Amino acid sequence: QSVLTQPPSASGTPGQRVTISCSGSSSNIGSNYVYWYQQLPGTAPKLLIYRNNQRPSGVPDRFSGSKSGTSASLAISGLRSEDEADYYCAAWDDSLSGQVFGGGTKLTVL
Amino acid sequence: QVQLQESGPGLVKPSQTLSLTCTVSGGSISSGSYYWSWIRQPAGKGLEWIGRIYTSGSTNYNPSLKSRVTISVDTSKNQFSLKLSSVTAADTAVYYCAHRSILTGYDYWGQGTLVTVSS
């Protein structure tokens, strides 16, 4: 059972916009930044969004992040086949004094 | 560009200690405001944070693993290491080392190394 809650799966067709939610609590998302990671099959995770809504250089602006209260979401617009991957949210948890991850959402591009 | 590479035994017997090393290239492990971390992923499952060490040497560990984990740094070799004691089959996973910038999160990752706990 992960501290941060994500839907196990999401799907969309090419060109569509999809969102992935991440729910936490006051000790993690409510009081700290949220990060998003993309993990393509068989590879290490890659930083996608940092500090709630910032994109590292090289990440397309099709990817965007937002946070409100104790929840966050990742939006992917103009969905492409290469976006098919697992997506994880993460945040620091003050109560645990540790990094916590969501359980991951498997995105399928139909 | 920082690069990380995990190394260590791929097979560990139950009750023994798992030891992994992460070699850092493209930057000094002792400079800057960075965290050097270990994260694992059992097959088909999600990411689990194991712990981290700051450039100052201070550490934080996952509370569920804290009694068994030690993360240390060898600045002379530009490496940091993970030791996990009293392992069981539940510790079988791909282990990643990662670099965390205070500003941007886990921005560099190793390729990961599979460690299997089995007799």
Side-chain angles (χ1 to χ4, degrees), chain B residues 9 13-14 21 27 34 36 39-41 45 51 53 55-56 61 63 67 74 86 88 97 99 104 114 117:
Chain B
K13 289 182 167 53
T21 296
Y34 304 123
W36 304 95
I39 295 164
R40 70 182 182 179
Q41 185 174 35
K45 297 188 178 181
I53 186 164
T55 45
S56 66
Y61 299 129
S67 63
D74 185 337
S86 305
T88 68
C97 58
H99 164 281
T104 60
L114 174 63
V117 178

Side-chain angles (χ1 to χ4, degrees), chain B residues 38-94:
Chain B
W38 289 96
I39 295 164
R40 70 182 182 179
Q41 185 174 35
K45 297 188 178 181
L47 301 169
E48 180 180 29
W49 183 77
I50 298 171
R52 68 184 187 184
I53 186 164
Y54 190 52
T55 45
S56 66
S58 64
T59 54
N60 298 99
Y61 299 129
N62 185 323
S64 68
L65 300 171
K66 188 173 184 177
S67 63
R68 300 194 291 131
V69 174
T70 302
I71 296 176
S72 59
V73 167
D74 185 337
T75 55
S76 66
K77 295 182 179 179
N78 222 36
Q79 297 175 332
F80 65 105
S81 299
L82 168 70
K83 290 189 185 301
L84 180 66
S85 64
S86 305
V87 297
T88 68
D91 295 309
T92 294
V94 173

